């Protein structure tokens, strides 16, 4: 598997130390709050598991399974919620945990959806951000890494449901790295 990808874009070591920092920051920011961490599956599963263990606070874990709808998504940003939260979030402090913010459409959609449930606060934490691809100006409070405009896999991220278990982040087609 490793041979398919050349050099990691983000190594396991870099991932580990950045997630530790994020955990400290979140621990500091959420003192005395009622933190509910909402993982967006499937992509966020690996990041989520590492991040939650880097946070030294009482935390409620919960998840949403979403599927983007390829044909409509580009226009509307509509994503299909396949499995919703199990917890009541009214009056609580939601931290939405994403794998990657690309156009921003998914995060915008989920933010709108969750806001309707009247949480006390709602912030976004993403492992990766591709600023060059942003179509919507979403406010992302916690960002692991800003990356260039390449399609990446590993560490939870997939290409056609494969490579999620790659333990580091890699560019899918390293030969295409210079192409747009
Ligand atoms: P957005 O709605 O355009 O921000 O896209 C977010 C979703 O697209 C992510 O949650 C991923 O599922 C997927 N995605 C975007 N870029 C990549 C990538 O480089 N690799 C894998 N999945 C990606
Ligand atoms: Mg995702």
């Amino acid at each position: 598997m490793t041979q398919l990808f050349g050099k990691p874009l983000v190594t396991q070591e870099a991932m580990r130390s950045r997630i530790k920092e994020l955990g400290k920051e979140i621990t500091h920011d959420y003192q005395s709050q009622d933190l509910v961490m909402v993982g967006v599956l499937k992509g966020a599963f690996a990041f989520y598991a590492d991040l939650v263990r880097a946070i030294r606070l009482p935390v409620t874990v919960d998840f949403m399974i979403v599927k983007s709808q390829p044909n409509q998504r580009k226009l509307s940003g509509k994503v299909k919620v396949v499995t919703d939260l199990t917890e009541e979030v009214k009056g609580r402090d939601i931290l939405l945990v994403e794998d990657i913010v690309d156009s921003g459409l998914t995060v915008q959609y989920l933010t709108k959806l969750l806001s309707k449930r009247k949480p006390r606060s709602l912030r976004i934490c993403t492992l990766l951000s591709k600023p060059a691809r942003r179509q919507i100006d979403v406010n992302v409070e916690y960002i692991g890494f800003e990356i260039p405009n390449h399609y990446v896999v590993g560490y939870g991220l997939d290409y056609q449901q494969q490579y999620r278990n790659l333990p580091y982040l890699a560019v899918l087609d390293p030969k295409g790295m210079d192409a747009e």
Side-chain angles (χ1 to χ4, degrees):
M1 199 179 212
T2 36
Q3 282 172 340
L4 271 173
F5 296 105
K7 238 173 65 186
L9 186 65
V10 180
T11 63
Q12 279 182 276
E13 197 41 54
M15 205 70 96
R16 204 173 295 134
S17 77
R18 182 67 187 120
I19 292 172
K20 225 168 143 184
E21 285 174 8
L22 284 174
K24 273 193 187 150
E25 215 180 309
I26 292 165
T27 300
H28 173 266
D29 295 352
Y30 282 86
Q31 299 287 326
S32 313
Q33 299 203 39
D34 186 7
L35 177 58
V36 183
M37 285 178 59
V38 174
V40 183
L41 300 178
K42 302 174 192 171
F45 79 94
F47 173 48
Y48 186 101
D50 287 345
L51 182 65
V52 80
R53 286 176 292 173
I55 293 171
R56 296 282 172 266
L57 288 173
V59 52
T60 300
V61 306
D62 207 350
F63 301 95
M64 283 179 115
I65 304 180
V66 306
K67 239 187 155 82
S68 53
Q69 301 184 300
N71 296 322
Q72 295 163 35
R73 206 180 70 85
K74 284 283 169 279
L75 298 171
S76 65
K78 205 165 161 40
V79 298
K80 187 170 182 235
V81 176
V82 179
T83 304
D84 207 335
L85 300 179
T86 63
E87 301 299 314
E88 173 70 55
V89 292
K90 191 171 177 207
R92 307 181 74 184
D93 300 290
I94 299 180
L95 184 59
L96 193 67
V97 181
E98 262 284 14
D99 52 353
I100 186 165
V101 179
D102 189 32
S103 67
L105 287 164
T106 303
V107 147
Q108 175 185 251
Y109 181 83
L110 293 177
T111 302
K112 277 190 187 156
L113 184 80
L114 291 172
S115 298
K116 290 186 191 141
R117 300 178 191 177
K118 305 275 177 253
R120 180 166 55 198
S121 68
L122 172 52
R123 288 184 181 167
I124 298 160
C125 176
T126 186
L127 176 63
L128 306 164
S129 171
K130 280 187 200 170
R133 297 253 311 165
R134 203 74 89 245
Q135 288 176 34
I136 286 149
D137 188 21
V138 281
N139 193 17
V140 184
E141 279 82 4
Y142 306 98
I143 296 175
F145 298 91
E146 290 202 335
I147 61 166
N149 185 13
H150 303 305
Y151 196 87
V152 291
V153 294
Y155 214 80
L157 289 94
D158 75 306
Y159 172 67
Q160 297 184 348
Q161 299 304 326
Q162 294 302 305
Y163 314 119
R164 292 191 194 274
N165 63 325
L166 194 69
Y168 57 86
L169 193 79
V171 176
L172 182 64
D173 175 16
K175 288 192 274 328
M177 279 200 59
D178 299 324
E180 186 45 64

